[in-house]
Amino acid sequence: MTQRRPLIAANWKMNGSCELAVQCCEVLTQLPASNTEILICPPVIFLNDFPKSDRYQLGAQNVSSEVSGAFTGEISADMLATAGASYVIIGHSERRALFGDTDALVLAKTKRAIAAKMTPIVCFGETLTERQQEKTMQVLAQHLDAVYAAHPELLQHSVIAYEPIWAIGTGETASPAQAQEVHAFIRTYLKKYDDAAASKVRIIYGGSVNAENCAALFAQPDIDGGLVGGASLKPAEFAAICLSAQDS
Ligand code: PGA
């Protein structure tokens, strides 16, 4: 890890309960104070089950691209911010694959989040086929361009998540070297938009991060933390991952 502040983010996806929120708070508030930023992104209905704490922050897993109006089922950026979310995950591969989140929508949602003073965690990653065809960097460049080419000013307000789709929920993690190679590529690529912001932007890794594999990942120079799915539903394991980021 580096001079950038580590960020460990829990993506509960459509899992969890009030009880899990309570357990999670208990465990996290017992962690020693550190520079690591801890973020929980539960389903929004559980945001209020987390007492305010300086030990963790709260976030959402999605946001509407619209400000307000007749958009049944959607939740606006301002509403999320009012409910206590300071971050929002945008463009997760599950949203891109299952809910039609196109690059254009990802850009629109990123703008909305920033306008509401939340930090977007914008997700990018290649499929297994794209990796096997050695198209990883080409695919990432294309998706990064879609968000930042016309709006480089968004970069200084963003966190980037590299999540190889083949590693999400599969138990198969990118090796530390594989992940570092892509993180370094992303950082270098982003320099063409804003050199200073690219050096400062946190690029976190997601895809089957757990208590066993996290230390080697977080030790890489361009990996600034993790976006943790399955393992974040086990409070003790998630706490161990947060602790590991402190040590790296
Ligand atoms: P996983 O999910 O840790 O269960 O692979 C990560 C994510 O999808 O954000």
Side-chain angles (χ1 to χ4, degrees):
M1 205 100 61
T2 60
Q3 73 283 5
R4 293 175 291 271
R5 188 175 182 201
L7 173 65
I8 307 297
N11 176 10
W12 280 15
K13 309 192 180 185
M14 200 171 73
N15 297 298
S17 59
C18 308
E19 291 73 25
L20 185 65
V22 171
Q23 286 168 25
C24 189
C25 297
E26 276 171 14
V27 171
L28 293 180
T29 46
Q30 283 166 21
L31 285 178
S34 86
N35 187 38
T36 300
E37 201 172 351
I38 300 172
L39 170 68
I40 317 289
C41 301
V44 286
I45 192 80
F46 299 132
L47 284 173
N48 280 331
D49 292 307
F50 286 84
K52 276 210 178 319
S53 166
D54 54 11
R55 204 60 205 89
Y56 54 76
Q57 305 214 50
L58 296 172
Q61 302 169 16
N62 184 33
V63 62
S64 174
S65 59
E66 303 291 338
V67 175
S68 66
F71 301 103
T72 300
E74 291 289 274
I75 302 179
S76 76
D78 284 339
M79 291 170 189
L80 291 174
T82 304
S86 50
Y87 282 82
V88 56
I89 299 168
I90 294 177
H92 188 282
S93 61
E94 287 152 17
R95 296 231 39 108
R96 291 181 192 255
L98 304 173
F99 301 101
D101 281 18
T102 58
D103 280 335
L105 262 181
V106 171
L107 171 60
K109 290 179 177 192
T110 301
K111 286 188 193 166
R112 288 279 176 249
I114 292 170
K117 304 212 173 345
M118 285 190 292
T119 302
I121 300 178
V122 193
C123 303
F124 302 93
E126 80 286 4
T127 63
L128 184 57
T129 310
E130 287 161 349
R131 175 160 281 266
Q132 286 166 341
Q133 293 174 346
E134 298 184 2
K135 288 187 180 155
T136 299
M137 308 310 182
Q138 183 189 324
V139 166
L140 288 169
Q142 191 185 315
H143 289 290
L144 288 165
D145 280 342
V147 180
Y148 296 108
H151 296 278
E153 75 283 359
L154 301 178
L155 185 59
Q156 61 182 303
H157 303 291
S158 299
V159 168
I160 306 281
Y162 168 56
E163 295 207 305
I165 295 168
W166 48 271
I168 295 178
T170 59
E172 191 173 340
T173 321
S175 70
Q178 274 175 326
Q180 166 58 27
E181 182 189 21
V182 178
H183 281 232
F185 166 79
I186 292 172
R187 192 176 307 285
T188 304
Y189 192 78
L190 291 173
K191 284 183 191 275
K192 72 175 183 175
Y193 304 130
D194 182 336
D195 193 65
S199 299
K200 283 190 199 143
V201 70
R202 290 178 293 176
I203 307 176
I204 61 175
Y205 170 81
S208 297
V209 173
N210 60 38
E212 274 83 59
N213 61 27
C214 61
L217 287 161
F218 299 159
Q220 301 301 312
D222 287 292
I223 299 183
D224 304 313
L227 182 53
V228 187
S232 74
L233 298 170
K234 300 174 204 151
E237 177 158 15
F238 183 65
I241 295 170
C242 295
L243 272 176
S244 160
Q246 286 175 209
D247 299 337
S248 56

